[in-house]
Amino acid sequence: MTVPEMDGEAVRERALASLTRARARTTLLTGCVEEPDLVAQHSPLMSPLVWDLAHIGNQEELWLLRAVGGREAMRPEIDSLYDAFEHPRAERPTLPLLPPDEARRYAAEVRGHALDLLESTAFRGSQLTEAGFAFGMIAQHEQQHDETMLITHQLRKGPPALTAPDPAPAPPLDGPAEVLVPGGPFTMGTSTEPWALDNERPAHRREVAPFHIDTAAVTNAAYQAFIEDGGYTDERWWAPAGWEHIRRHGIVAPLFWHRDGGQWLRRHFGVTEVVPPDEPVLHVCWYEADAYARWAGRRLPTEAEWEKAARYDPVQGRSTRYPWGDADPAPEHANLGQRHLRPAPAGSCPAGASPLGVHQLIGDVWEWTASDFLPYPGFTAFPYKEYSEVFFGSGHKVLRGGSFAVDPVACRGTFRNWDYPIRRQIFAGFRTARSGDL
């Protein structure tokens, strides 16, 4: 993997651009609704938007002003209120949270000091400051909460608060429905990406047997065929825990879908629309993805298979940063950054396809994999165990690739996301795979 070298000024510019882009998005997501919607809890699965806003500022203060800058705490009395591990989401509305105007002032004051610190920081001497890591970590953290707040907007009832142009129509996928990924070793993870998080590290050799993977993510039209064939009423396709879960909760389709006469409709950011047949299916949990794959006579790819399909270039014989190579994402490569508020149709962004011809591996929808979230060999927690280590184990499944809601700073070919297998509010879909070279 070739990572572009950056001098101190280039690091500063990248950090400033990333932080500025994140704050503009935070401002949009918290400024497009009135105060009652900011302080309300729209789902017990999510925090009030005003909690996310102040939490973003608090984390920036903790890691940039205090850890990097060595400064005294600005508001030590609020640290516990915005500690994500101290208070589960369901109870956060009961806390004495900063009201919206005060939360905005706090986040803005922290940002002002952080930008002053950025101007004076030497990007060397410690792991936190090397290549601007702490600034990159905070930009990624804010963008991750921006995605969380966008999920809250999707769960929110009422008229639409956000608008965006639809993606351009996609050229039809005229190639094969699946691609053969050759067996053999490849480099998984990274030891050189400067802003990679601890669970992406270190780079290590991984052996993968030959397998086939879908050229594109499973579409709404394909998933509807599963529904119409009785997929939700046939126990054969479901893992036991998944079958019990969908029966207990009466799940018969992806979240936000409902049938109206002979067609499926969905609620999408306050608008009811016909389910777009060519878009990747969205808002399905791991159990639903796994059941569809079984019904189709296939399976979910492992995390290692997904990463080899996304990063391995057989001509160069190496792993690249992204499916299209080492260059940072551009609009022609991937549907990222919330600019369309929806996945792009299958076949979009052909410039972002992998050398093997796999499309849309980055952006559009997070993709469930078969794998549990586990550490790589040689893993070291940094800068704190609660970022990754406490989540390792069989309770969480890995998602890869990033969704339309992800900013480029918070996704790459090595980036790892994880969640409970029952989660459906997230912007997740999937593609399938099968073993063998035939």
Side-chain angles (χ1 to χ4, degrees), residues 158-359:
L162 297 164
T163 60
D166 287 344
L173 282 170
D174 56 3
E178 64 178 8
V179 170
L180 173 65
V181 180
F186 80 107
T187 299
M188 187 171 183
T190 179
S191 297
T192 58
E193 186 73 44
W195 290 359
L197 304 169
D198 61 0
N199 61 65
E200 300 172 65
R201 302 172 181 267
H204 58 286
R205 177 187 169 100
R206 190 69 68 95
E207 189 84 23
V208 173
F211 67 99
H212 290 81
I213 192 166
D214 289 340
T215 305
V218 171
T219 64
N220 288 319
Y223 198 84
Q224 284 181 44
F226 167 67
I227 298 174
E228 302 305 329
D229 195 45
Y232 280 88
T233 59
D234 193 334
E235 188 176 359
R236 287 180 299 164
W237 313 127
W238 297 84
W243 180 249
E244 192 275 333
H245 177 72
I246 67 159
R247 303 300 287 176
R248 184 172 73 249
H249 294 280
I251 295 171
V252 298
L255 186 62
F256 306 116
W257 286 32
H258 69 276
R259 192 188 288 276
D260 182 19
Q263 64 183 351
W264 284 100
L265 305 179
R266 72 176 182 186
R267 183 168 58 83
H268 187 72
F269 294 110
V271 175
T272 298
E273 62 183 21
V274 175
V275 172
D278 295 333
E279 286 184 12
V281 68
L282 191 64
H283 297 302
V284 289
C285 70
W286 184 90
Y287 290 123
E288 289 168 290
D290 178 63
Y292 173 95
R294 295 176 194 231
W295 169 81
R298 297 170 69 82
R299 59 177 175 79
L300 295 179
T302 66
E303 183 182 14
E305 288 173 335
W306 189 97
E307 187 167 324
K308 185 166 188 181
R311 297 185 60 214
Y312 183 68
D313 185 334
V315 175
Q316 299 184 62
R318 69 178 183 94
S319 293
T320 56
R321 297 175 71 209
Y322 298 97
W324 56 85
D326 295 324
D328 288 338
E332 64 268 23
H333 294 134
N335 174 24
L336 294 166
Q338 194 185 306
R339 66 180 182 268
H340 294 304
L341 280 181
R342 62 173 64 239
S348 299
C349 304
S354 76
L356 294 170
V358 189
H359 288 250

Side-chain angles (χ1 to χ4, degrees), residues 23-298:
R23 187 51 48 90
R25 189 173 171 202
T26 300
T27 301
L28 170 65
L29 290 167
T30 57
C32 63
V33 290
E34 300 297 327
E35 182 167 328
D37 274 332
L38 289 174
V39 300
Q41 185 172 48
H42 299 281
S43 165
L45 296 173
M46 312 304 291
S47 308
L49 292 168
V50 74
W51 185 93
D52 287 288
L53 175 58
H55 171 76
I56 285 167
N58 187 244
Q59 287 295 293
E60 188 166 331
E61 185 196 349
L62 286 170
W63 289 105
L64 296 186
L65 303 190
R66 299 188 208 174
V68 174
R71 303 187 183 185
E72 293 295 320
M74 292 170 53
R75 300 283 299 268
E77 75 280 4
I78 69 172
D79 285 354
S80 66
L81 296 178
Y82 299 102
D83 185 332
F85 290 90
E86 189 167 336
H87 302 288
R89 288 175 175 176
E91 71 176 39
R92 289 172 189 169
T94 67
L95 302 173
L97 303 176
L98 299 182
D101 285 346
E102 191 173 351
R104 289 190 183 99
R105 285 194 297 271
Y106 169 63
E109 185 178 1
V110 170
R111 174 54 56 89
H113 292 309
L115 295 183
D116 290 341
L117 181 66
L118 178 61
E119 285 297 312
S120 61
T121 298
F123 302 116
R124 59 183 183 275
S126 76
Q127 199 172 349
L128 265 182
T129 57
E130 184 69 31
F133 174 82
F135 294 92
M137 178 183 73
I138 287 301
Q140 291 177 81
H141 174 265
E142 182 163 356
Q143 289 285 7
Q144 288 167 331
H145 275 272
D146 289 340
E147 183 175 10
T148 298
M149 288 193 286
L150 190 61
I151 293 169
T152 300
H153 274 279
Q154 169 64 9
L155 289 163
R156 168 185 161 273
K157 301 296 194 296
L162 297 164
T163 60
D166 287 344
L173 282 170
D174 56 3
E178 64 178 8
V179 170
L180 173 65
V181 180
F186 80 107
T187 299
M188 187 171 183
T190 179
S191 297
T192 58
E193 186 73 44
W195 290 359
L197 304 169
D198 61 0
N199 61 65
E200 300 172 65
R201 302 172 181 267
H204 58 286
R205 177 187 169 100
R206 190 69 68 95
E207 189 84 23
V208 173
F211 67 99
H212 290 81
I213 192 166
D214 289 340
T215 305
V218 171
T219 64
N220 288 319
Y223 198 84
Q224 284 181 44
F226 167 67
I227 298 174
E228 302 305 329
D229 195 45
Y232 280 88
T233 59
D234 193 334
E235 188 176 359
R236 287 180 299 164
W237 313 127
W238 297 84
W243 180 249
E244 192 275 333
H245 177 72
I246 67 159
R247 303 300 287 176
R248 184 172 73 249
H249 294 280
I251 295 171
V252 298
L255 186 62
F256 306 116
W257 286 32
H258 69 276
R259 192 188 288 276
D260 182 19
Q263 64 183 351
W264 284 100
L265 305 179
R266 72 176 182 186
R267 183 168 58 83
H268 187 72
F269 294 110
V271 175
T272 298
E273 62 183 21
V274 175
V275 172
D278 295 333
E279 286 184 12
V281 68
L282 191 64
H283 297 302
V284 289
C285 70
W286 184 90
Y287 290 123
E288 289 168 290
D290 178 63
Y292 173 95
R294 295 176 194 231
W295 169 81
R298 297 170 69 82

Side-chain angles (χ1 to χ4, degrees), residues 346-427:
S348 299
C349 304
S354 76
L356 294 170
V358 189
H359 288 250
Q360 294 166 277
L361 285 155
I362 300 292
D364 292 309
V365 293
W366 287 106
E367 298 186 14
W368 288 110
T369 73
S371 299
D372 297 335
F373 185 48
L374 299 172
Y376 290 158
F379 168 84
T380 301
F382 177 79
Y384 56 104
K385 290 184 176 182
E386 288 78 10
Y387 183 74
S388 302
E389 188 172 320
V390 299
F391 298 102
F392 289 147
S394 60
H396 295 87
K397 294 294 185 181
V398 174
L399 302 106
R400 299 299 296 264
S403 73
F404 67 90
V406 175
D407 185 81
V409 76
C411 74
R412 49 198 157 260
T414 58
F415 194 93
R416 308 174 76 196
N417 191 7
W418 65 94
D419 216 324
Y420 294 111
I422 62 171
R423 287 288 184 253
R424 305 208 303 158
Q425 82 278 12
I426 59 177
F427 301 119

